[in-house]
Amino acid sequence: MNLVKRCIYGISILSLASMNVQCKGEKKTDAAETALETNATDAVSIAKTMYGKTDKGVQIDRYTLKNQKGMEVDIITYGGIISSLKVPNKAGKSEEVVLGFNSLEQYMKPNPYFGALIGRYGNRIAKGKFTLDGKQYSLAINNTPNALHGGPEGFHRVVWTAEEAKGGDTASLKLKYVAKDMEEGYPGNLTVFVTYTLNKDNALDVLYEATTDKKTIVNLTQHSYFNLSADFSKPILDHEIMIDADKLVPVAATLIPTGQLTDVTNTPFDFRKPKLVGAAIESKDEQLKNGLGYDHCWVLNNQNKGERLVASAYHATSGRVLEVYTDQPGIQFYSGNFLDGTLPMRNGGTYAHRTGFCLETQHYPDSPNQKDFPTTVLSPGENYKTKTTFKFSVK
Ligand code: GLA
């Protein structure tokens, strides 16, 4: 049942079905390096360019999805990373709103998951250990003393294969990665598809699908860092955040859940009414101390309602609004506390403390070790299917 809870088959099947129809009607151009045929009347286009080569000589491609309302998204096949996302401000000026680098070399160096797909298990697993059917599994400890974001290579440092599809009103990129049995310590060959779809109205869907041949755990997410001001030299403290959650997953000092779910009322974690990130981030609060700011999973309301609006961000000066819709039970709101001025910005300078925030839709951290949390177990014959939408507008 829990698995069913985290799936919205109806919506996903519909979107896949429409993608298949689009594929069938598609005529690919001969040259591998060019985009699907684009008509001037198409609301959304997709184009492919070579991005670079990994140190092992594997070619990495970049796909650009673009609509006629000024939204443009670049995705690279390394880590399924969103390397650029441009949307208009209230004056109609389209600008970059995600943190990122300007070369593959930089993405291949250690970095805090800029724009990447995260798997097989997003967020932390206590001491890197979990048990399935009486067998204990040990993961690499890459965030002492815990395992974080699927391991050192995870899904964020692997090469995905890509297939493009285009319809009149949408363009999609379907990425595939097969994680081997015991890769990064997780059991089961896991076949994963992540489909990014841009529509004509500035919404980007991320559809995650997976199947396994052995019982395993799965918790996939997207790790984009947003700064809606488009000025990456400024912290995101002036963004208003809304999170539709009455409860929080509190953590101990190592950012592992205590197992309780606590009420957000009268705490800095109450974002049910939109509130500036900076409003309470420096308050004296045990949880803020543990997270070094906001770095927590919220227990989203209306968990049985499928994909629904769960969070938003608004930057008043630019007028940009980001709405996040998901069918997932949780969202990790991370205020970029570990950004420390060491990573290079695209056009000079470095990313300073809290110059980006993440809204990672997912199951709660350490679920495999928490008997009262919704399950993240995936068994053979089951379909992991979950969808998140990032919708941009202005006000
Ligand atoms: C997640 C975690 C954070 C941090 C970032 C990456 O959001 O919750 O603690 O590890 O990823 O730096």
Side-chain angles (χ1 to χ4, degrees):
M1 265 326 273
N2 273 320
L3 184 79
V4 175
K5 269 192 213 154
R6 61 187 157 112
C7 303
I8 42 156
Y9 294 111
I11 291 173
S12 309
I13 284 170
L14 268 181
S15 55
L16 258 192
S18 71
M19 219 178 84
N20 285 339
V21 170
Q22 289 151 18
C23 290
K24 272 188 212 150
E26 214 70 68
K27 262 209 283 165
K28 286 215 178 189
T29 46
D30 291 341
E33 294 299 302
T34 54
L36 290 175
E37 276 179 7
T38 302
N39 302 314
T41 51
D42 279 348
V44 193
S45 63
I46 178 165
K48 172 184 171 185
T49 47
M50 189 184 153
Y51 188 63
K53 283 204 169 144
T54 67
D55 45 10
K56 293 189 185 109
V58 181
Q59 180 174 321
I60 301 300
D61 296 317
R62 173 176 54 198
Y63 290 84
T64 301
L65 286 69
K66 193 172 175 177
N67 69 16
Q68 297 188 351
K69 292 212 175 120
M71 180 158 172
E72 189 173 326
V73 185
D74 285 347
I75 297 152
I76 59 173
T77 50
Y78 182 78
I81 292 170
I82 295 177
S83 57
S84 168
L85 195 158
K86 293 180 184 139
V87 283
N89 64 7
K90 62 186 170 192
K93 189 175 179 201
S94 201
E95 293 172 301
E96 185 65 71
V97 297
V98 294
L99 278 61
F101 304 122
N102 57 13
S103 72
L104 178 61
E105 290 67 41
Q106 197 61 49
Y107 279 109
M108 290 183 66
K109 290 182 189 161
N111 76 76
Y113 312 90
F114 275 8
L117 291 176
I118 303 294
R120 170 176 322 202
Y121 195 93
N123 214 278
R124 292 173 178 77
I125 294 183
K127 300 193 174 121
K129 299 219 182 303
F130 67 97
T131 302
L132 267 182
D133 286 345
K135 188 169 175 210
Q136 196 186 65
Y137 294 90
S138 293
L139 310 169
I141 305 303
N142 59 341
N143 188 248
T144 312
N146 304 312
L148 177 66
H149 289 335
E153 302 294 306
F155 291 175
H156 58 286
R157 291 175 59 83
V158 300
V159 182
W160 295 66
T161 54
E163 202 183 297
E164 352 170 3
K166 188 170 64 65
D169 285 350
T170 63
S172 299
L173 183 69
K174 186 172 188 177
L175 298 173
K176 180 183 182 187
Y177 180 69
V178 181
K180 299 217 165 51
D181 185 25
M182 293 314 288
E183 183 171 321
E184 297 284 40
Y186 296 92
N189 291 296
L190 187 77
T191 304
V192 186
F193 293 97
V194 177
T195 308
Y196 288 107
T197 300
L198 177 65
N199 78 7
K200 63 179 176 43
D201 296 317
N202 292 0
L204 180 72
D205 288 349
V206 192
L207 173 69
Y208 306 86
E209 298 167 281
T211 51
T212 184
D213 62 0
K214 253 188 216 165
K215 200 181 259 196
T216 189
I217 53 170
V218 186
N219 187 28
L220 307 180
T221 192
Q222 220 296 331
H223 211 300
S224 284
Y225 288 69
F226 300 96
N227 185 328
L228 300 181
S229 77
D231 180 353
F232 300 106
S233 68
K234 296 218 182 88
I236 45 75
L237 301 175
D238 61 350
H239 286 58
E240 255 182 24
I241 298 284
M242 183 283 291
I243 303 175
D244 186 14
D246 298 336
K247 288 193 170 136
L248 182 77
V249 182
V251 291
T254 59
L255 294 178
I256 293 295
T258 60
Q260 270 122 30
L261 304 178
T262 51
D263 194 328
V264 296
T265 310
N266 296 325
T267 75
F269 293 84
D270 191 349
F271 283 97
R272 289 172 293 189
K273 288 201 192 103
K275 186 170 82 186
L276 289 176
V277 178
I281 199 168
E282 299 299 346
S283 310
K284 268 208 155 114
D285 177 279
E286 185 68 15
Q287 283 304 313
L288 285 174
K289 194 172 143 209
N290 290 346
L292 303 175
Y294 296 110
D295 189 358
H296 295 77
C297 188
W298 272 251
V299 178
L300 293 169
N301 292 338
N302 302 313
Q303 294 196 358
N304 294 324
K305 294 217 171 124
E307 204 188 4
R308 72 264 184 226
L309 176 69
V310 296
S312 65
Y314 169 55
H315 181 255
T317 316
S318 68
R320 288 191 182 92
V321 178
L322 162 63
E323 290 176 322
V324 182
Y325 297 78
T326 193
D327 50 48
Q328 289 287 278
I331 197 164
Q332 185 84 11
F333 169 48
Y334 169 55
S335 53
N337 314 308
F338 294 120
L339 296 173
D340 59 0
T342 53
L343 295 166
M345 293 200 272
R346 293 184 184 85
N347 302 313
T350 55
Y351 291 111
H353 193 220
R354 295 182 178 155
T355 48
F357 67 89
C358 304
L359 287 167
E360 305 156 64
T361 56
Q362 56 191 226
H363 270 245
Y364 314 155
D366 199 33
S367 294
N369 295 310
Q370 303 274 355
K371 63 177 178 16
D372 295 329
F373 288 1
T375 185
T376 51
V377 171
L378 184 73
S379 298
E382 292 180 325
N383 294 312
Y384 175 94
K385 189 175 268 186
T386 160
K387 190 174 157 213
T388 291
T389 299
F390 298 102
K391 167 116 184 63
F392 294 88
S393 56
V394 289
K395 71 175 183 191

